[in-house]
PDB file of all heavy atoms in Angstrom:
ATOM      1  N   GLN W   2     -24.583   7.693  -2.577  1.00  0.00           N
ATOM      2  CA  GLN W   2     -24.195   6.442  -1.927  1.00  0.00           C
ATOM      3  C   GLN W   2     -23.837   6.700  -0.455  1.00  0.00           C
ATOM      4  O   GLN W   2     -23.102   7.632  -0.142  1.00  0.00           O
ATOM      5  CB  GLN W   2     -22.980   5.870  -2.669  1.00  0.00           C
ATOM      6  CG  GLN W   2     -22.541   4.511  -2.160  1.00  0.00           C
ATOM      7  CD  GLN W   2     -21.396   3.949  -2.985  1.00  0.00           C
ATOM      8  OE1 GLN W   2     -21.073   4.461  -4.067  1.00  0.00           O
ATOM      9  NE2 GLN W   2     -20.777   2.898  -2.486  1.00  0.00           N
ATOM     10  N   VAL W   4     -21.841   6.041   2.797  1.00  0.00           N
ATOM     11  CA  VAL W   4     -20.529   5.464   3.104  1.00  0.00           C
ATOM     12  C   VAL W   4     -20.245   5.625   4.595  1.00  0.00           C
ATOM     13  O   VAL W   4     -20.975   6.326   5.305  1.00  0.00           O
ATOM     14  CB  VAL W   4     -19.413   6.143   2.277  1.00  0.00           C
ATOM     15  CG1 VAL W   4     -19.628   5.876   0.785  1.00  0.00           C
ATOM     16  CG2 VAL W   4     -19.372   7.640   2.550  1.00  0.00           C
ATOM     17  N   THR W   6     -17.392   6.876   6.167  1.00  0.00           N
ATOM     18  CA  THR W   6     -16.758   8.153   6.546  1.00  0.00           C
ATOM     19  C   THR W   6     -16.439   8.942   5.278  1.00  0.00           C
ATOM     20  O   THR W   6     -16.003   8.372   4.278  1.00  0.00           O
ATOM     21  CB  THR W   6     -15.455   7.903   7.343  1.00  0.00           C
ATOM     22  OG1 THR W   6     -15.751   7.095   8.482  1.00  0.00           O
ATOM     23  CG2 THR W   6     -14.821   9.204   7.808  1.00  0.00           C
ATOM     24  N   LEU W   7     -16.663  10.232   5.391  1.00  0.00           N
ATOM     25  CA  LEU W   7     -16.424  11.122   4.258  1.00  0.00           C
ATOM     26  C   LEU W   7     -15.590  12.293   4.797  1.00  0.00           C
ATOM     27  O   LEU W   7     -16.028  13.012   5.692  1.00  0.00           O
ATOM     28  CB  LEU W   7     -17.791  11.599   3.754  1.00  0.00           C
ATOM     29  CG  LEU W   7     -17.902  12.401   2.459  1.00  0.00           C
ATOM     30  CD1 LEU W   7     -17.199  11.709   1.299  1.00  0.00           C
ATOM     31  CD2 LEU W   7     -19.386  12.618   2.134  1.00  0.00           C
ATOM     32  N   ILE W   8     -14.375  12.445   4.270  1.00  0.00           N
ATOM     33  CA  ILE W   8     -13.479  13.494   4.764  1.00  0.00           C
ATOM     34  C   ILE W   8     -13.198  14.485   3.642  1.00  0.00           C
ATOM     35  O   ILE W   8     -12.632  14.117   2.611  1.00  0.00           O
ATOM     36  CB  ILE W   8     -12.129  12.916   5.257  1.00  0.00           C
ATOM     37  CG1 ILE W   8     -12.359  11.717   6.186  1.00  0.00           C
ATOM     38  CG2 ILE W   8     -11.324  13.991   5.977  1.00  0.00           C
ATOM     39  CD1 ILE W   8     -11.081  10.936   6.496  1.00  0.00           C
ATOM     40  N   ILE W  13      -4.925  16.812  -0.145  1.00  0.00           N
ATOM     41  CA  ILE W  13      -4.675  15.381   0.020  1.00  0.00           C
ATOM     42  C   ILE W  13      -3.360  15.063  -0.675  1.00  0.00           C
ATOM     43  O   ILE W  13      -3.156  15.398  -1.848  1.00  0.00           O
ATOM     44  CB  ILE W  13      -5.822  14.506  -0.544  1.00  0.00           C
ATOM     45  CG1 ILE W  13      -7.103  14.750   0.272  1.00  0.00           C
ATOM     46  CG2 ILE W  13      -5.433  13.024  -0.494  1.00  0.00           C
ATOM     47  CD1 ILE W  13      -8.276  13.841  -0.095  1.00  0.00           C
ATOM     48  N   HIS W  26      -9.962  18.143  -2.111  1.00  0.00           N
ATOM     49  CA  HIS W  26     -10.386  16.795  -2.467  1.00  0.00           C
ATOM     50  C   HIS W  26     -10.981  16.094  -1.233  1.00  0.00           C
ATOM     51  O   HIS W  26     -10.831  16.575  -0.101  1.00  0.00           O
ATOM     52  CB  HIS W  26      -9.211  15.984  -3.010  1.00  0.00           C
ATOM     53  CG  HIS W  26      -9.041  16.109  -4.501  1.00  0.00           C
ATOM     54  ND1 HIS W  26      -8.911  17.324  -5.122  1.00  0.00           N
ATOM     55  CD2 HIS W  26      -9.001  15.153  -5.493  1.00  0.00           C
ATOM     56  CE1 HIS W  26      -8.777  17.127  -6.431  1.00  0.00           C
ATOM     57  NE2 HIS W  26      -8.835  15.825  -6.680  1.00  0.00           N
ATOM     58  N   SER W  27     -11.615  14.977  -1.497  1.00  0.00           N
ATOM     59  CA  SER W  27     -12.258  14.230  -0.412  1.00  0.00           C
ATOM     60  C   SER W  27     -11.850  12.765  -0.461  1.00  0.00           C
ATOM     61  O   SER W  27     -11.594  12.220  -1.547  1.00  0.00           O
ATOM     62  CB  SER W  27     -13.782  14.325  -0.528  1.00  0.00           C
ATOM     63  OG  SER W  27     -14.178  15.675  -0.443  1.00  0.00           O
ATOM     64  N   LEU W  28     -11.810  12.174   0.716  1.00  0.00           N
ATOM     65  CA  LEU W  28     -11.498  10.752   0.830  1.00  0.00           C
ATOM     66  C   LEU W  28     -12.755  10.050   1.331  1.00  0.00           C
ATOM     67  O   LEU W  28     -13.383  10.490   2.294  1.00  0.00           O
ATOM     68  CB  LEU W  28     -10.335  10.565   1.817  1.00  0.00           C
ATOM     69  CG  LEU W  28      -9.704   9.181   1.786  1.00  0.00           C
ATOM     70  CD1 LEU W  28      -8.651   9.107   0.672  1.00  0.00           C
ATOM     71  CD2 LEU W  28      -9.057   8.853   3.122  1.00  0.00           C
ATOM     72  N   VAL W  29     -13.078   8.953   0.677  1.00  0.00           N
ATOM     73  CA  VAL W  29     -14.305   8.218   1.003  1.00  0.00           C
ATOM     74  C   VAL W  29     -13.915   6.856   1.572  1.00  0.00           C
ATOM     75  O   VAL W  29     -13.158   6.113   0.934  1.00  0.00           O
ATOM     76  CB  VAL W  29     -15.164   8.030  -0.264  1.00  0.00           C
ATOM     77  CG1 VAL W  29     -16.504   7.392   0.098  1.00  0.00           C
ATOM     78  CG2 VAL W  29     -15.363   9.360  -0.989  1.00  0.00           C
ATOM     79  N   ILE W  30     -14.410   6.567   2.776  1.00  0.00           N
ATOM     80  CA  ILE W  30     -14.042   5.323   3.442  1.00  0.00           C
ATOM     81  C   ILE W  30     -15.273   4.426   3.572  1.00  0.00           C
ATOM     82  O   ILE W  30     -16.342   4.872   4.001  1.00  0.00           O
ATOM     83  CB  ILE W  30     -13.456   5.602   4.846  1.00  0.00           C
ATOM     84  CG1 ILE W  30     -12.206   6.490   4.723  1.00  0.00           C
ATOM     85  CG2 ILE W  30     -13.126   4.297   5.563  1.00  0.00           C
ATOM     86  CD1 ILE W  30     -11.601   6.900   6.063  1.00  0.00           C
ATOM     87  N   TYR W  31     -15.092   3.166   3.190  1.00  0.00           N
ATOM     88  CA  TYR W  31     -16.192   2.206   3.334  1.00  0.00           C
ATOM     89  C   TYR W  31     -15.603   0.843   3.697  1.00  0.00           C
ATOM     90  O   TYR W  31     -14.645   0.397   3.066  1.00  0.00           O
ATOM     91  CB  TYR W  31     -17.004   2.119   2.038  1.00  0.00           C
ATOM     92  CG  TYR W  31     -18.215   1.237   2.187  1.00  0.00           C
ATOM     93  CD1 TYR W  31     -19.304   1.656   2.957  1.00  0.00           C
ATOM     94  CD2 TYR W  31     -18.263  -0.026   1.590  1.00  0.00           C
ATOM     95  CE1 TYR W  31     -20.417   0.836   3.116  1.00  0.00           C
ATOM     96  CE2 TYR W  31     -19.369  -0.840   1.745  1.00  0.00           C
ATOM     97  CZ  TYR W  31     -20.442  -0.414   2.513  1.00  0.00           C
ATOM     98  OH  TYR W  31     -21.535  -1.230   2.679  1.00  0.00           O
ATOM     99  N   LYS W  34     -11.880   0.447   4.059  1.00  0.00           N
ATOM    100  CA  LYS W  34     -11.006   0.713   2.914  1.00  0.00           C
ATOM    101  C   LYS W  34     -11.308   2.051   2.248  1.00  0.00           C
ATOM    102  O   LYS W  34     -12.347   2.659   2.499  1.00  0.00           O
ATOM    103  CB  LYS W  34     -11.157  -0.411   1.887  1.00  0.00           C
ATOM    104  CG  LYS W  34     -10.582  -1.716   2.397  1.00  0.00           C
ATOM    105  CD  LYS W  34     -10.599  -2.789   1.332  1.00  0.00           C
ATOM    106  CE  LYS W  34      -9.894  -4.036   1.888  1.00  0.00           C
ATOM    107  NZ  LYS W  34     -10.132  -5.213   1.040  1.00  0.00           N
ATOM    108  N   ILE W  35     -10.370   2.473   1.421  1.00  0.00           N
ATOM    109  CA  ILE W  35     -10.569   3.704   0.652  1.00  0.00           C
ATOM    110  C   ILE W  35     -11.425   3.357  -0.564  1.00  0.00           C
ATOM    111  O   ILE W  35     -11.011   2.591  -1.436  1.00  0.00           O
ATOM    112  CB  ILE W  35      -9.214   4.297   0.224  1.00  0.00           C
ATOM    113  CG1 ILE W  35      -8.417   4.694   1.475  1.00  0.00           C
ATOM    114  CG2 ILE W  35      -9.425   5.508  -0.704  1.00  0.00           C
ATOM    115  CD1 ILE W  35      -6.970   5.047   1.205  1.00  0.00           C
ATOM    116  N   LEU W  36     -12.630   3.912  -0.571  1.00  0.00           N
ATOM    117  CA  LEU W  36     -13.572   3.619  -1.653  1.00  0.00           C
ATOM    118  C   LEU W  36     -13.376   4.585  -2.811  1.00  0.00           C
ATOM    119  O   LEU W  36     -13.545   4.226  -3.973  1.00  0.00           O
ATOM    120  CB  LEU W  36     -14.999   3.741  -1.113  1.00  0.00           C
ATOM    121  CG  LEU W  36     -16.121   3.457  -2.110  1.00  0.00           C
ATOM    122  CD1 LEU W  36     -16.197   1.959  -2.381  1.00  0.00           C
ATOM    123  CD2 LEU W  36     -17.463   3.956  -1.570  1.00  0.00           C
ATOM    124  N   ASP W  37     -12.996   5.819  -2.461  1.00  0.00           N
ATOM    125  CA  ASP W  37     -12.856   6.814  -3.524  1.00  0.00           C
ATOM    126  C   ASP W  37     -12.012   7.979  -3.028  1.00  0.00           C
ATOM    127  O   ASP W  37     -11.850   8.183  -1.807  1.00  0.00           O
ATOM    128  CB  ASP W  37     -14.240   7.324  -3.969  1.00  0.00           C
ATOM    129  CG  ASP W  37     -14.259   7.758  -5.446  1.00  0.00           C
ATOM    130  OD1 ASP W  37     -13.176   7.920  -6.036  1.00  0.00           O
ATOM    131  OD2 ASP W  37     -15.362   7.940  -5.983  1.00  0.00           O
ATOM    132  N   LEU W  38     -11.457   8.705  -3.982  1.00  0.00           N
ATOM    133  CA  LEU W  38     -10.665   9.909  -3.699  1.00  0.00           C
ATOM    134  C   LEU W  38     -10.949  10.819  -4.878  1.00  0.00           C
ATOM    135  O   LEU W  38     -10.611  10.487  -6.010  1.00  0.00           O
ATOM    136  CB  LEU W  38      -9.187   9.510  -3.618  1.00  0.00           C
ATOM    137  CG  LEU W  38      -8.192  10.503  -3.018  1.00  0.00           C
ATOM    138  CD1 LEU W  38      -6.812   9.871  -2.916  1.00  0.00           C
ATOM    139  CD2 LEU W  38      -8.124  11.812  -3.748  1.00  0.00           C
ATOM    140  N   LEU W  39     -11.595  11.944  -4.615  1.00  0.00           N
ATOM    141  CA  LEU W  39     -12.080  12.765  -5.733  1.00  0.00           C
ATOM    142  C   LEU W  39     -12.274  14.214  -5.292  1.00  0.00           C
ATOM    143  O   LEU W  39     -12.250  14.510  -4.093  1.00  0.00           O
ATOM    144  CB  LEU W  39     -13.379  12.177  -6.287  1.00  0.00           C
ATOM    145  CG  LEU W  39     -14.669  12.253  -5.448  1.00  0.00           C
ATOM    146  CD1 LEU W  39     -15.841  11.694  -6.241  1.00  0.00           C
ATOM    147  CD2 LEU W  39     -14.546  11.555  -4.106  1.00  0.00           C
ATOM    148  N   PRO W  40     -12.444  15.133  -6.236  1.00  0.00           N
ATOM    149  CA  PRO W  40     -12.668  16.532  -5.864  1.00  0.00           C
ATOM    150  C   PRO W  40     -13.889  16.649  -4.949  1.00  0.00           C
ATOM    151  O   PRO W  40     -14.897  15.951  -5.151  1.00  0.00           O
ATOM    152  CB  PRO W  40     -12.916  17.218  -7.206  1.00  0.00           C
ATOM    153  CG  PRO W  40     -12.191  16.379  -8.201  1.00  0.00           C
ATOM    154  CD  PRO W  40     -12.351  14.972  -7.712  1.00  0.00           C
ATOM    155  N   GLN W  43     -17.368  17.050  -6.379  1.00  0.00           N
ATOM    156  CA  GLN W  43     -17.984  15.810  -6.866  1.00  0.00           C
ATOM    157  C   GLN W  43     -18.366  14.884  -5.719  1.00  0.00           C
ATOM    158  O   GLN W  43     -19.424  14.236  -5.757  1.00  0.00           O
ATOM    159  CB  GLN W  43     -17.017  15.071  -7.796  1.00  0.00           C
ATOM    160  CG  GLN W  43     -16.721  15.822  -9.088  1.00  0.00           C
ATOM    161  CD  GLN W  43     -15.602  15.157  -9.887  1.00  0.00           C
ATOM    162  OE1 GLN W  43     -15.384  13.953  -9.773  1.00  0.00           O
ATOM    163  NE2 GLN W  43     -14.906  15.938 -10.695  1.00  0.00           N
ATOM    164  N   ALA W  44     -17.505  14.825  -4.701  1.00  0.00           N
ATOM    165  CA  ALA W  44     -17.777  13.922  -3.569  1.00  0.00           C
ATOM    166  C   ALA W  44     -19.099  14.281  -2.912  1.00  0.00           C
ATOM    167  O   ALA W  44     -19.867  13.402  -2.498  1.00  0.00           O
ATOM    168  CB  ALA W  44     -16.640  14.000  -2.555  1.00  0.00           C
ATOM    169  N   ARG W  47     -21.923  12.752  -4.852  1.00  0.00           N
ATOM    170  CA  ARG W  47     -22.005  11.292  -4.992  1.00  0.00           C
ATOM    171  C   ARG W  47     -22.173  10.539  -3.673  1.00  0.00           C
ATOM    172  O   ARG W  47     -22.695   9.438  -3.660  1.00  0.00           O
ATOM    173  CB  ARG W  47     -20.731  10.775  -5.650  1.00  0.00           C
ATOM    174  CG  ARG W  47     -20.708  11.067  -7.122  1.00  0.00           C
ATOM    175  CD  ARG W  47     -19.632  10.257  -7.807  1.00  0.00           C
ATOM    176  NE  ARG W  47     -19.067  11.069  -8.875  1.00  0.00           N
ATOM    177  CZ  ARG W  47     -17.899  10.857  -9.461  1.00  0.00           C
ATOM    178  NH1 ARG W  47     -17.148   9.840  -9.057  1.00  0.00           N
ATOM    179  NH2 ARG W  47     -17.474  11.635 -10.414  1.00  0.00           N
ATOM    180  N   TYR W  48     -21.602  11.108  -2.589  1.00  0.00           N
ATOM    181  CA  TYR W  48     -21.546  10.328  -1.349  1.00  0.00           C
ATOM    182  C   TYR W  48     -22.179  11.087  -0.192  1.00  0.00           C
ATOM    183  O   TYR W  48     -22.140  12.320  -0.144  1.00  0.00           O
ATOM    184  CB  TYR W  48     -20.090  10.005  -0.975  1.00  0.00           C
ATOM    185  CG  TYR W  48     -19.378   9.193  -2.028  1.00  0.00           C
ATOM    186  CD1 TYR W  48     -18.482   9.798  -2.911  1.00  0.00           C
ATOM    187  CD2 TYR W  48     -19.612   7.823  -2.142  1.00  0.00           C
ATOM    188  CE1 TYR W  48     -17.828   9.056  -3.885  1.00  0.00           C
ATOM    189  CE2 TYR W  48     -18.960   7.073  -3.120  1.00  0.00           C
ATOM    190  CZ  TYR W  48     -18.066   7.689  -3.991  1.00  0.00           C
ATOM    191  OH  TYR W  48     -17.433   6.954  -4.948  1.00  0.00           O
ATOM    192  N   LEU W  61      -4.439  15.699   4.360  1.00  0.00           N
ATOM    193  CA  LEU W  61      -4.624  14.267   4.623  1.00  0.00           C
ATOM    194  C   LEU W  61      -3.503  13.531   3.915  1.00  0.00           C
ATOM    195  O   LEU W  61      -3.179  13.840   2.766  1.00  0.00           O
ATOM    196  CB  LEU W  61      -5.921  13.765   3.987  1.00  0.00           C
ATOM    197  CG  LEU W  61      -7.263  13.881   4.662  1.00  0.00           C
ATOM    198  CD1 LEU W  61      -8.264  12.995   3.917  1.00  0.00           C
ATOM    199  CD2 LEU W  61      -7.216  13.513   6.119  1.00  0.00           C
ATOM    200  N   LEU W 363      -2.617   6.592  -0.189  1.00  0.00           N
ATOM    201  CA  LEU W 363      -4.074   6.747  -0.235  1.00  0.00           C
ATOM    202  C   LEU W 363      -4.545   6.407  -1.645  1.00  0.00           C
ATOM    203  O   LEU W 363      -4.729   7.290  -2.487  1.00  0.00           O
ATOM    204  CB  LEU W 363      -4.468   8.177   0.158  1.00  0.00           C
ATOM    205  CG  LEU W 363      -4.018   8.641   1.548  1.00  0.00           C
ATOM    206  CD1 LEU W 363      -4.577  10.027   1.858  1.00  0.00           C
ATOM    207  CD2 LEU W 363      -4.426   7.648   2.644  1.00  0.00           C
ATOM    208  N   GLU W 364      -4.709   5.124  -1.900  1.00  0.00           N
ATOM    209  CA  GLU W 364      -5.172   4.668  -3.204  1.00  0.00           C
ATOM    210  C   GLU W 364      -6.457   3.873  -3.021  1.00  0.00           C
ATOM    211  O   GLU W 364      -6.627   3.167  -2.014  1.00  0.00           O
ATOM    212  CB  GLU W 364      -4.104   3.786  -3.856  1.00  0.00           C
ATOM    213  CG  GLU W 364      -2.848   4.544  -4.252  1.00  0.00           C
ATOM    214  CD  GLU W 364      -1.793   3.626  -4.856  1.00  0.00           C
ATOM    215  OE1 GLU W 364      -0.990   3.045  -4.091  1.00  0.00           O
ATOM    216  OE2 GLU W 364      -1.764   3.496  -6.089  1.00  0.00           O
ATOM    217  N   ILE W 365      -7.318   3.975  -3.983  1.00  0.00           N
ATOM    218  CA  ILE W 365      -8.599   3.264  -3.918  1.00  0.00           C
ATOM    219  C   ILE W 365      -8.343   1.770  -3.757  1.00  0.00           C
ATOM    220  O   ILE W 365      -7.526   1.203  -4.472  1.00  0.00           O
ATOM    221  CB  ILE W 365      -9.442   3.581  -5.172  1.00  0.00           C
ATOM    222  CG1 ILE W 365      -9.826   5.068  -5.144  1.00  0.00           C
ATOM    223  CG2 ILE W 365     -10.694   2.702  -5.234  1.00  0.00           C
ATOM    224  CD1 ILE W 365     -10.474   5.566  -6.423  1.00  0.00           C
ATOM    225  N   GLY W 366      -9.016   1.171  -2.783  1.00  0.00           N
ATOM    226  CA  GLY W 366      -8.855  -0.251  -2.529  1.00  0.00           C
ATOM    227  C   GLY W 366      -7.914  -0.569  -1.390  1.00  0.00           C
ATOM    228  O   GLY W 366      -7.972  -1.648  -0.807  1.00  0.00           O
ATOM    229  N   LYS W 367      -7.043   0.387  -1.044  1.00  0.00           N
ATOM    230  CA  LYS W 367      -6.142   0.150   0.087  1.00  0.00           C
ATOM    231  C   LYS W 367      -6.882   0.376   1.402  1.00  0.00           C
ATOM    232  O   LYS W 367      -7.958   0.991   1.434  1.00  0.00           O
ATOM    233  CB  LYS W 367      -4.925   1.085   0.011  1.00  0.00           C
ATOM    234  CG  LYS W 367      -3.840   0.576  -0.945  1.00  0.00           C
ATOM    235  CD  LYS W 367      -2.491   1.260  -0.687  1.00  0.00           C
ATOM    236  CE  LYS W 367      -1.388   0.659  -1.554  1.00  0.00           C
ATOM    237  NZ  LYS W 367      -0.067   1.290  -1.307  1.00  0.00           N
ATOM    238  N   ALA W 369      -7.918   2.008   4.858  1.00  0.00           N
ATOM    239  CA  ALA W 369      -8.043   3.422   5.210  1.00  0.00           C
ATOM    240  C   ALA W 369      -7.191   3.722   6.437  1.00  0.00           C
ATOM    241  O   ALA W 369      -7.694   3.937   7.534  1.00  0.00           O
ATOM    242  CB  ALA W 369      -9.497   3.793   5.424  1.00  0.00           C
TER     243      ALA W 369
END
Side-chain angles (χ1 to χ4, degrees):
Chain W
Q2 185 176 348
V4 296
T6 304
L7 188 52
I8 312 169
I13 295 186
H26 270 55
S27 300
L28 193 84
V29 186
I30 300 176
Y31 185 71
K34 291 186 175 167
I35 297 169
L36 180 73
D37 209 346
L38 194 175
L39 70 176
Q43 294 172 27
R47 285 194 215 161
Y48 299 102
L61 275 193
L363 301 185
E364 292 178 273
I365 294 171
K367 279 198 175 181

